[in-house]
Amino acid sequence: QINTMAKASLLLRVCLLVASSSASSFPKPNPASKLRLQQVLVVHRHGDRSPITPLKDEDYWQSQLPQPHVLEGIAKGTTLIRPPEGNPKHGAHGRGPFGQLTMMGVLQMASLGERLREELTGTLFTDQKPIHPNRIRIMSTDFPRTIQSVQALLTGLFEGAQLDAPAIEIDVRRTNEYLIPDPQPRQFPTQLVLESHLAKRPHLVEKEKELTQLAHKVTDALQDQLGEGAKGVSFGIGEEKSQDNDVDAMKTKKPLAWAQLSEILTCLHSRDLLPPTISKDDVEEVNKHVAWRWFENLSHPVLAKSAMWKFA
């Protein structure tokens, strides 16, 4: 869940993709060079979160979330810009304490903001052009965990000081349609058809067969922990469930979707809460397979364009 870092114009435009917890270094400018850092684009994911799939121990996961005063604190100096009609709710939104940024996630993102400030001081931020809210532009998907993540990052970036007016706007207008590859509904009706077609390619089908036993093993091991509505959760490229599929999953012993298995195991593993029958190797194999499936599907040029055209 804590992934983050890495991604050019006349005076050097740098796009920094935040993709894991390690930051790349910005070299200090050579005084003899005419090149100067003018802009940095930071693309980051959210911090540590609770599982999206509901589990039975709601009290435990609630205890992992930041207190209201913490959320109020990181939200100071920011304002959300939403469309009047609101945004459609995504299947990965979560409910109750699930799918929410944890206190660990808040601290991770604040730390990342501090590191960015250190990296950019003397290059992008100078005595002549210091860091200031009017130099910041933000877009975010409309999930509490992603909004709170960027608010925590800003807290670290501004050293926790009270931000000056005007407040930094976090634009969430229709961003759930194009900042994620699996919007609900899809940007184009044909995308789901293509996802289904690509999932039936022989090499994917063969790989799924090889890992069927693992999917059932992990699903069975998690069975006693699954909360109400767990099998109805639907998100992920190539794993969208129709209502018919939902009914089939309830009636049969179909394993949970790979995206669900991966996110539940990741959350449990980070807290040493894995079921005794699940090993770290099992977790790694599930996560590797999910990453492979996403890459195999989204590397298809037509699907990539359909899913991420506006963002890219």
Side-chain angles (χ1 to χ4, degrees):
Q1 299 304 313
I2 318 161
N3 298 352
T4 64
M5 293 194 115
K7 228 180 155 197
S9 135
L10 189 58
L11 293 178
L12 182 63
R13 288 174 178 253
V14 176
C15 177
L16 171 64
L17 174 62
V18 183
S20 74
S21 57
S22 61
S24 60
S25 294
F26 290 96
K28 299 302 178 182
N30 182 346
S33 173
K34 294 182 180 180
L35 295 178
R36 292 293 182 269
L37 187 64
Q38 295 293 308
Q39 183 182 68
V40 173
L41 305 181
V42 180
V43 184
H44 67 85
R45 292 197 64 196
H46 52 74
D48 178 77
R49 63 162 172 79
S50 57
I52 295 167
T53 304
L55 301 181
K56 286 181 179 177
D57 195 350
E58 291 199 19
D59 290 342
Y60 171 79
W61 292 105
Q62 184 67 49
S63 74
Q64 301 299 295
L65 307 187
Q67 294 294 317
H69 72 273
V70 174
L71 297 180
E72 292 170 7
I74 63 175
K76 286 181 179 178
T78 66
T79 185
L80 300 182
I81 308 299
R82 283 195 173 98
E85 69 278 11
N87 289 313
K89 197 168 184 179
H90 193 277
H93 185 279
R95 65 162 180 80
F98 300 108
Q100 305 301 314
L101 189 70
T102 64
M103 190 61 210
M104 184 194 305
V106 171
L107 296 174
Q108 288 169 343
M109 300 310 298
S111 176
L112 178 58
E114 293 172 359
R115 291 165 63 185
L116 282 173
R117 185 186 70 248
E118 293 170 3
E119 294 283 349
L120 297 172
T121 296
T123 54
L124 188 66
F125 305 128
T126 63
D127 291 340
Q128 293 73 32
K129 296 180 68 176
I131 184 173
H132 190 273
N134 65 13
R135 299 185 64 191
I136 308 290
R137 297 290 183 271
I138 296 174
M139 298 175 68
S140 172
T141 49
D142 196 5
F143 296 89
R145 60 180 177 270
T146 53
I147 294 169
Q148 293 160 8
S149 288
V150 75
Q151 289 172 330
L153 184 147
L154 290 171
T155 300
L157 188 65
F158 283 87
E159 301 186 85
Q162 176 70 40
L163 302 185
D164 296 331
I168 297 177
E169 295 182 349
I170 301 177
D171 190 346
V172 298
R173 289 173 294 186
R174 304 177 67 86
T175 49
N176 283 14
E177 295 179 13
Y178 58 85
L179 287 183
I180 51 177
D182 60 332
Q184 296 175 348
R186 299 293 195 259
Q187 295 183 57
F188 304 101
T190 54
Q191 182 177 333
L192 277 176
V193 177
L194 180 57
E195 288 178 32
S196 178
H197 171 74
L198 294 176
K200 296 173 183 174
R201 288 173 293 174
H203 71 292
L204 267 79
V205 173
E206 184 61 30
K207 188 69 173 178
E208 293 286 312
K209 287 182 179 178
E210 290 177 14
L211 295 175
T212 296
Q213 185 174 351
L214 176 63
H216 280 284
K217 171 187 174 181
V218 175
T219 299
D220 290 345
L222 294 173
Q223 202 64 47
D224 291 340
Q225 298 191 40
L226 298 179
E228 184 179 351
K231 293 187 176 180
V233 174
S234 178
F235 62 91
I237 290 290
E239 296 196 291
E240 286 286 326
K241 298 174 185 174
S242 66
Q243 290 186 343
D244 290 340
N245 284 340
D246 266 359
V247 173
D248 289 343
M250 298 293 185
K251 291 182 178 179
T252 65
K253 292 195 67 176
K254 292 180 70 172
L256 291 174
W258 285 107
Q260 286 183 272
L261 294 177
S262 175
E263 64 111 7
I264 296 172
L265 291 182
T266 298
C267 292
L268 296 178
H269 181 37
S270 67
R271 292 166 173 80
D272 294 323
L273 295 175
L274 287 175
T277 57
I278 301 300
S279 68
K280 294 179 180 179
D281 289 340
D282 292 331
V283 177
E284 183 177 354
E285 190 167 7
V286 169
N287 288 339
K288 284 175 63 175
H289 181 58
V290 170
W292 179 82
R293 289 181 86 260
W294 277 71
F295 180 81
E296 285 296 309
N297 286 317
L298 285 169
S299 62
H300 188 279
V302 177
L303 180 57
K305 185 175 182 179
S306 296
M308 302 298 287
W309 66 278
K310 190 171 181 179
F311 174 64

